[in-house]
Amino acid sequence: MPGATHDAIRLEPTPGALTIEAPTADVGYSPFHMLASALASCTFSVLQSWPTPKKLSVDDLLLDVQCQFGDDPHRVSDLDVSFTWPSLPVDRIATAKRVAALCTVHATLMHPPAIGIRSSTEPVASATASPAVSPPQAPAAVNNMHGDPAAPPE
């Protein structure tokens, strides 16, 4: 992804419940990490359930999601999903990429929903009845995945 500001998460299959950990104790888990994690876990679940003649093991599948930020308005402008899957035969990589794109979170991000913002005292409006409310622009200095305006770009 072009640009200077990146942050990333990695999903590794481990037994038991999904555990999310920050890379170091001084790094918090931000809403941007949550967005990347949602995309990674959805992509993983689609690949894990991929019906193949020879059921492929996902024990060695790793997913990385990198985020880049843009301005006007400040937002996540790019998400890059990459996978490392040593046991996947080379002739199945193109198919695995097509299967990964079937993730519902991926489809949602490619075709974003209308988002309404209202007070709890107001009735819920249909997305087609009124336009979505645009959030105010965040300061341009907030340009890292942790949302910390004092932190330098990563």
Side-chain angles (χ1 to χ4, degrees), residues 9 20 29-41 67 105 145:
I9 62 101
I20 299 168
Y29 187 73
S30 74
F32 306 110
H33 287 105
M34 292 175 115
L35 177 65
S37 296
L39 181 57
S41 61
C67 298
V105 173
M145 198 175 226

Side-chain angles (χ1 to χ4, degrees), residues 60-141:
D60 61 342
L61 171 61
L62 301 176
L63 286 168
D64 290 293
V65 179
Q66 288 188 328
C67 298
Q68 181 175 336
F69 293 86
D71 290 313
D72 298 322
H74 183 71
R75 70 205 178 285
V76 173
S77 62
D78 295 288
L79 291 163
D80 181 67
V81 178
S82 62
F83 62 85
T84 303
W85 197 351
S87 66
L88 181 69
V90 173
D91 65 338
R92 303 294 292 173
I93 291 174
T95 304
K97 288 165 54 175
R98 288 192 304 272
V99 169
L102 297 173
C103 156
T104 304
V105 173
H106 178 269
T108 300
L109 293 168
M110 296 300 293
H111 305 279
I115 300 173
I117 299 176
R118 65 182 180 83
S119 161
S120 62
T121 61
E122 299 171 310
V124 176
S126 159
T128 57
S130 63
V133 176
S134 297
Q137 282 192 265

Side-chain angles (χ1 to χ4, degrees), residues 26-54:
D26 62 329
V27 174
Y29 187 73
S30 74
F32 306 110
H33 287 105
M34 292 175 115
L35 177 65
S37 296
L39 181 57
S41 61
C42 179
T43 301
F44 182 85
S45 68
V46 169
L47 288 170
Q48 184 177 30
S49 65
W50 176 21
T52 60
K54 292 181 179 179

